[in-house]
Amino acid sequence: KVRISGGGRCNVMHDKTKPLPQILSSYPRGHKELRGLYTKRFTPDDAYDWFTSRGVQLKTESDGRMFPTTDNSQTIIDTITNAALRAGVEIRTKEKVNSVHLIGESGGGENGRFLVNISSKTQQQSAMEERFDAIILATGSFPLGHEIARSLGHTIVKPVPSLFTFDAKELVNDGGSFNGLAGVSVPLARMTLKVTDEMTSSADASSDSVKEEPTTGKNTKKKRRKKATTIIQEGPLLITHHGVSGPATLRLSAFAAREFHAVNYCSTVNIHFCPQWEEEQKKLNGDSGTSGEGILMDYLWEMTRKLPKRQICTGSPLLVKNTGDDDRASTGSSTTPNNMPTIPKRLWSALVQHSGIPPNMTWGDASKSMIRSLSNNISSFPLTVTSKGVFKEEFVTAGGVALKEVQMTNMESKVVPGLFICGEVLDVDGVTGGFNFMGCWATGFIAGEGAALACCSELEV
């Protein structure tokens, strides 16, 4: 996974200078549990120092992602491998762990606490058994890791895909409103998923931790939290040949992973193409009591008076302050170096025609119902998601070992002493941008330290 991350460059972590609450907000699951870890045990600064002290030079890109200056994931692979070899770690390949059994509740002495069944392609015997005082489970989202954890008494929150793009075939295929727009991007869009009863009930069934009590044999469920009625995420949006992608899409897919899974990735997502413009207008208008939709509608209707002879398709009149270089073409409105259109010209033209407005119609000839339709499509465009896509070659899951069963100060199991659990085998996941690796580095370091201390205490006894 390190090798393919970031297109082969390895997105090592996210910008360590950002406030911790902002970093934690990028974890749909696990943000509360990681707070203490990132504050006291293995901070983002610690992760940065670990790599740089071993000769890795890191750079931070404009979106906060951090990469080795070599732009080559092999740099990170070699650094981790060499650190393990220097520490005396024995690296064994072409071997598979089939099962792990607990053979001693407390210190196992010479016999060890865990019996591990291993099959090897290099050994003549079909299977081997070895004993260990402590075990670190760092199997990522590989199902075997969840099977081992479950066999030792842990609760597994059902894994479902996270971080995926949205396919919208009807919209991008021939005759669709976004056909031919692949590659067009919006600097800032707001995406909203309305949570339905079907999503809520199915998501509850898949995410509730169900565990059998050994004494009564009854099933108990964790207390359900009040479900949100909408899930909203913002960020850049990219139109693709299959639908939409970009940070806004990926964030929504992560925060609504279970909701999308519950409806087999077929749902409607509403897109606001100019939330920044709306916020700027609210500030200019003060507390007028008018809704964002009302402000947009009033502004567009005003264009029928100010620009009566201009064709509506010419370009968006919705301008925002330009905070950086932007090479998009002028829309025909009063753009200056200090402002820029919120919606690219090709997308604007598609939205105009999708609203039932002919491509050659002028603002002065448009009816109020046409302008209202355009306003609605700008602020709440209904994107019909037909399936999920794949974000490059990366694969992240929501779900895993229930966090309430792990002591986050040393990553030791609360169910089985001597078992340490880290990385994506846990019910922790982040959005794209280096957050998942940050979680892996932190939990992995603490789990390794905890396992070593556990073994040392066994020797002392």
Side-chain angles (χ1 to χ4, degrees):
K1 193 161 187 177
V2 171
R3 189 180 302 278
I4 65 174
S5 165
R9 296 194 296 150
C10 187
N11 185 184
V12 182
M13 57 184 291
H14 200 74
D15 185 357
K16 68 182 183 68
T17 65
K18 289 187 177 180
L20 185 58
Q22 184 177 344
I23 291 176
L24 291 170
S25 69
S26 294
Y27 291 90
R29 286 148 290 272
H31 58 279
K32 291 182 180 179
E33 291 81 0
L34 288 173
R35 178 179 296 277
L37 203 68
Y38 282 177
T39 303
K40 300 176 182 179
R41 302 291 288 123
F42 196 79
T43 67
D45 280 325
D46 291 333
Y48 179 87
D49 292 342
W50 193 94
F51 284 104
T52 55
S53 66
R54 288 163 176 79
V56 178
Q57 294 183 344
L58 297 175
K59 61 179 179 179
T60 305
E61 299 196 342
S62 59
D63 58 2
R65 294 182 300 165
M66 297 187 73
F67 295 89
T69 55
T70 60
D71 283 327
N72 191 336
S73 60
Q74 192 63 44
T75 300
I76 304 302
I77 295 172
D78 291 342
T79 300
I80 296 173
T81 302
N82 292 335
L85 292 174
R86 284 196 300 269
V89 175
E90 180 185 358
I91 301 175
R92 292 158 57 172
T93 60
K94 298 184 179 180
E95 293 186 358
K96 177 185 177 183
V97 173
N98 300 311
S99 61
V100 177
H101 298 284
L102 182 64
I103 57 176
E105 292 297 332
S106 58
E110 295 182 358
N111 293 326
R113 181 178 296 175
F114 299 95
L115 181 66
V116 182
N117 183 279
I118 304 169
S119 59
S120 173
K121 292 183 179 181
T122 60
Q123 301 292 334
Q124 291 183 352
Q125 62 266 41
S126 58
M128 304 176 290
E129 289 186 340
E130 299 185 27
R131 297 171 185 264
F132 297 90
D133 292 322
I135 287 179
I136 301 174
L137 200 57
T139 52
S141 56
F142 192 59
L144 178 61
H146 296 146
E147 293 172 12
I148 292 174
R150 186 184 290 110
S151 71
L152 293 172
H154 272 283
T155 304
I156 304 300
V157 180
K158 182 180 177 181
V160 299
S162 179
L163 283 188
F164 48 84
T165 59
F166 299 157
D167 289 348
K169 294 180 181 179
E170 295 178 1
L171 194 64
V172 298
N173 285 351
D174 290 342
S177 296
F178 285 4
N179 179 254
L181 295 184
V184 173
S185 62
V186 179
L188 180 66
R190 179 184 298 148
M191 304 186 76
T192 302
L193 174 70
K194 294 182 179 179
V195 179
T196 64
D197 291 340
E198 181 183 4
M199 290 177 178
T200 302
S201 58
S202 298
D204 281 343
S206 64
S207 65
D208 278 352
S209 302
V210 181
K211 191 171 183 178
E212 186 173 302
E213 293 182 349
T215 53
T216 64
K218 296 180 181 179
N219 286 338
T220 61
K221 286 188 177 183
K222 67 181 181 182
K223 186 177 180 180
R224 292 180 182 177
R225 292 175 296 178
K226 185 177 180 180
K227 294 292 182 179
T229 56
T230 57
I231 301 175
I232 304 171
Q233 292 296 322
E234 292 186 353
L237 179 74
L238 174 68
I239 300 175
T240 70
H241 291 289
H242 304 286
V244 294
S245 182
T249 303
L250 296 172
R251 287 187 66 91
L252 185 62
S253 76
F255 280 87
R258 295 202 175 280
E259 285 75 10
F260 278 114
H261 178 76
V263 293
N264 198 28
Y265 306 98
C266 295
S267 186
T268 299
V269 172
N270 294 99
I271 305 175
H272 193 322
F273 289 105
C274 59
Q276 182 183 350
W277 178 90
E278 185 177 284
E279 292 302 317
E280 289 184 4
Q281 291 299 311
K282 285 182 179 179
K283 291 179 180 178
L284 290 174
N285 294 338
D287 188 14
S288 63
T290 307
S291 67
E293 292 80 1
I295 292 174
L296 177 60
M297 173 61 192
D298 291 346
Y299 190 91
L300 292 177
W301 184 243
E302 183 67 11
M303 292 301 103
T304 63
R305 184 184 65 83
K306 288 185 175 181
L307 305 171
K309 296 183 179 181
R310 179 168 295 167
Q311 291 185 352
I312 301 174
C313 271
T314 300
S316 170
L318 310 174
L319 308 177
V320 294
K321 294 178 181 178
N322 189 359
T323 57
D325 294 332
D326 194 284
D327 59 0
R328 281 173 293 176
S330 170
T331 62
S333 54
S334 57
T335 58
T336 72
N338 295 323
N339 57 41
M340 64 180 185
T342 58
I343 302 174
K345 186 173 181 179
R346 290 168 58 199
L347 175 58
W348 171 265
S349 178
L351 291 172
V352 169
Q353 295 180 62
H354 185 82
S355 303
I357 300 173
N360 60 348
M361 178 171 282
T362 63
W363 285 101
D365 291 334
S367 67
K368 199 157 192 174
S369 62
M370 288 179 175
I371 299 301
R372 182 173 290 107
S373 178
L374 176 60
S375 175
N376 290 338
N377 282 319
I378 293 171
S379 63
S380 188
F381 183 88
L383 177 77
T384 301
V385 180
T386 55
S387 61
K388 69 178 179 68
V390 178
F391 177 54
K392 300 180 181 179
E393 295 179 320
E394 298 185 34
F395 185 73
V396 176
T397 57
V401 176
L403 294 176
K404 65 181 180 180
E405 298 175 352
V406 179
Q407 179 60 49
M408 297 300 290
T409 55
N410 64 353
M411 305 314 298
E412 185 173 21
S413 165
K414 295 179 182 178
V415 178
V416 185
L419 174 65
F420 296 81
I421 308 173
C422 64
E424 290 184 18
V425 70
L426 294 164
D427 184 22
V428 175
D429 63 288
V431 300
T432 182
F435 299 100
N436 285 294
F437 274 153
M438 286 178 74
C440 290
W441 308 143
T443 58
F445 184 92
I446 300 306
E449 189 178 66
L453 290 173
C455 291
C456 289
S457 64
E458 294 289 351
L459 291 175
E460 291 175 2
V461 173

